[in-house]
Amino acid sequence: MTGMAAHYVVRHVDRADPETVAALREAGVATVHEAAGRAGLLGPEVRPRQEGAVIAGSAITVSCHPGDNLMIHAAVEVCRPGDVLVVTTTSPSTDGMVGDLLATSLRARGVAGLVCDAGVRDIATLREMGFPVWSRAVHAQGTVKATPGSVNVPVVAAGRLVRPGDIVVADDDGVLVLPASSGPAVAGAAADRLAGEAAKREQFAAGTLGLDLYGLRPLLDRLGVRYVDRLPGGDAA
C-alpha cells in the first residue's frame, strides 16, 4: 500500500556464542561495564523488578506503538531458548505491555527474560513465576492489539541503541548491551577484572586502605589536598 511505512518481522538473527554469553552472565553488569570501557549501559530508569535475577542472552528486539502489544505477540514466535526480549515503544509509554500471560508464552519458548522500555503488570505473578523483568514502570494500564510495528530491527531502549542479536546482560545493577562481535574480548577482560578484584578484596578485608592499594596519596598531594588535625583558624576544643 503506497505511502505506508514499512513494518517487518525479521525471522533470522545472528546470535552470540553461548560460551561468551555465559561468561558475561557470570561476570555481571558492573564488571562487564568496566571491561567494555564503561560502555553499553541502559539508563537507570529501566529497573529490575525482582531481586537476585541475573540473565544474559541475544536480543530479540520489538518496536511497538505505545499501548499496543501486538508486535510482542509476533516476536514470541521468533524467540529461541536463551534469548532476551527487548521491548520499546515509538514514543514514551508506561502502559503495561507485558503481563503474566505473555510471560508464560515467552517462558514456553525458553526466553531468559524481558527488558521493557515501558510498563509491565501482574508483577506479583511474574515474581512468583521467577520470570526476570527489567522495565521503566509497573502499571496496570492494559493494551490493545491493533497497530503495526516491527520485530528484530534496531531500536533505542533507555537511550541505548539495541540491535537484533546484541548481547544483553541484566542483573540487580541494571541492563547492559554489547555488540555480539565485541563479546569475546569483553568476556576476556571481564575475567581478568574478576581475578584482580578477588585479590583486592582479600587485601581490603585484611585492612589495607584504598589510598595505599591504588597509590592515591601522591595524587591527593598533586591536587593540593592537605592533611591537618584541625581546620586552620578553628577554635581549640
Side-chain angles (χ1 to χ4, degrees):
M1 297 175 64
T2 305
M4 292 185 66
H7 302 284
Y8 301 97
V9 175
V10 180
R11 297 189 185 95
H12 179 75
V13 174
D14 293 320
R15 290 170 170 84
D17 171 64
E19 290 187 3
T20 298
V21 170
L24 294 170
R25 180 175 57 247
E26 180 69 22
V29 168
T31 297
V32 173
H33 175 54
E34 297 289 347
R38 297 189 175 179
L41 283 178
L42 270 64
E45 58 270 26
V46 172
R47 301 173 46 213
R49 299 298 169 179
Q50 63 283 305
E51 292 185 0
V54 183
I55 65 169
S58 296
I60 299 296
T61 63
V62 192
S63 176
C64 297
H65 187 81
D68 191 316
N69 70 358
L70 173 64
M71 299 313 298
I72 301 177
H73 287 273
V76 174
E77 185 178 21
V78 301
C79 289
R80 294 183 186 173
D83 288 342
V84 176
L85 190 69
V86 179
V87 173
T88 65
T89 54
T90 54
S91 62
S93 174
T94 57
D95 294 342
M97 302 290 284
V98 174
D100 70 300
L101 294 180
L102 257 173
T104 299
S105 185
L106 290 166
R107 168 170 276 184
R109 303 290 291 187
V111 171
L114 167 72
V115 175
C116 182
D117 192 5
V120 297
R121 63 181 190 173
D122 304 323
I123 192 67
T125 305
L126 295 178
R127 289 170 178 159
E128 289 173 3
M129 292 170 59
F131 185 75
V133 171
W134 289 255
S135 71
R136 178 177 290 269
V138 174
H139 194 26
Q141 176 64 48
T143 57
V144 298
K145 299 168 179 60
T147 314
S150 291
V151 175
N152 285 329
V153 298
V155 298
V156 175
R160 177 65 54 185
L161 176 66
V162 186
R163 292 156 296 212
D166 279 355
I167 301 172
V168 180
V169 186
D171 60 20
D172 285 342
D173 287 332
V175 182
L176 180 140
V177 177
L178 293 171
S181 59
S182 69
V186 173
D192 291 341
R193 286 192 65 87
L194 288 173
E197 288 173 1
K200 290 173 184 175
R201 192 172 293 109
E202 289 183 3
Q203 291 176 272
F204 281 131
T208 301
L209 296 175
L211 287 173
D212 298 315
L213 183 62
Y214 296 122
L216 298 177
R217 295 187 189 277
L219 174 60
L220 289 176
D221 186 59
R222 289 196 303 273
L223 294 174
V225 179
R226 296 172 57 199
Y227 280 81
V228 296
D229 292 326
R230 299 182 187 277
L231 287 177
D235 293 333

